[in-house]
């Protein structure tokens, strides 16, 4: 491991959104979003409605790990929490500021598109 890699740390961001759709519809939409964004599903727990996905790395950024947790609020409302963990170094921290937050935003934007179709 070189000195730059040893100086890396995880930047964590999280967002929770309540969506006016059933758990089943949101859960299916999430799986379509991950496929359409070409993000790798590393773990999926169908019973607990949890997904661990890995985003693509950019030219000047690391990939992020997204931890997605879906729970029903009631029959017509679902709560989705997405936490992003992105490794950064002292150098990429200046260039790659809030990459995890952008990826969370991209995820929710794509999910909204899936749910209206």
């Amino acid at each position: 491991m070189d000195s730059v890699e040893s100086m890396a740390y995880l930047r964590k961001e999280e967002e929770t959104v309540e969506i006016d759709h059933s758990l089943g519809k949101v859960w299916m939409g999430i799986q379509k979003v991950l496929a359409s964004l070409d993000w790798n599903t590393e773990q999926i727990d169908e019973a607990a409605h949890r997904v661990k996905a890995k985003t693509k790395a950019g030219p000047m950024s690391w990939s992020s790990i997204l931890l997605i947790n879906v729970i029903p609020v009631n029959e017509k409302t679902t709560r989705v929490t997405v936490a992003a963990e992105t490794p950064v170094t002292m150098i990429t921290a200046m260039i790659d500021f809030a990459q995890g937050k952008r990826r969370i935003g991209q995820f929710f934007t794509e999910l909204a598109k899936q749910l209206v179709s």
Side-chain angles (χ1 to χ4, degrees):
M1 179 181 286
D2 68 27
S3 62
V4 173
E5 288 176 331
S6 66
M7 294 171 46
Y9 65 95
L10 282 179
R11 180 175 284 152
K12 297 179 181 181
E13 280 112 1
E14 183 176 296
E15 188 170 341
T16 300
V17 174
E18 286 195 3
I19 301 170
D20 290 331
H21 288 286
S22 68
L23 174 69
K25 184 168 184 172
V26 171
W27 183 243
M28 286 194 339
I30 287 170
Q31 294 177 54
K32 290 177 183 176
V33 166
L34 295 174
S36 73
L37 292 172
D38 200 25
W39 292 351
N40 184 41
T41 301
E42 294 193 334
Q43 295 175 349
I44 189 163
D45 184 335
E46 293 281 347
H49 300 102
R50 291 190 185 131
V51 179
K52 178 179 178 182
K54 186 174 185 178
T55 68
K56 299 277 184 201
M60 293 295 289
S61 66
W62 298 84
S63 61
S64 296
I65 297 294
L66 294 185
L67 305 169
I68 304 163
N69 188 31
V70 186
I71 58 170
V73 174
N74 58 45
E75 288 183 12
K76 297 180 182 180
T77 306
T78 304
R79 182 176 299 130
V80 179
T81 300
V82 181
E85 299 177 346
T86 307
V88 293
T89 64
M90 299 307 270
I91 295 167
T92 61
M94 292 181 275
I95 299 167
D96 193 30
F97 189 73
Q99 185 66 32
K101 192 151 192 73
R102 280 194 298 275
R103 289 174 172 150
I104 291 171
Q106 182 181 13
F107 171 83
F108 279 118
T109 299
E110 289 300 313
L111 182 56
K113 290 177 189 175
Q114 285 292 331
L115 293 173
V116 294
S117 58

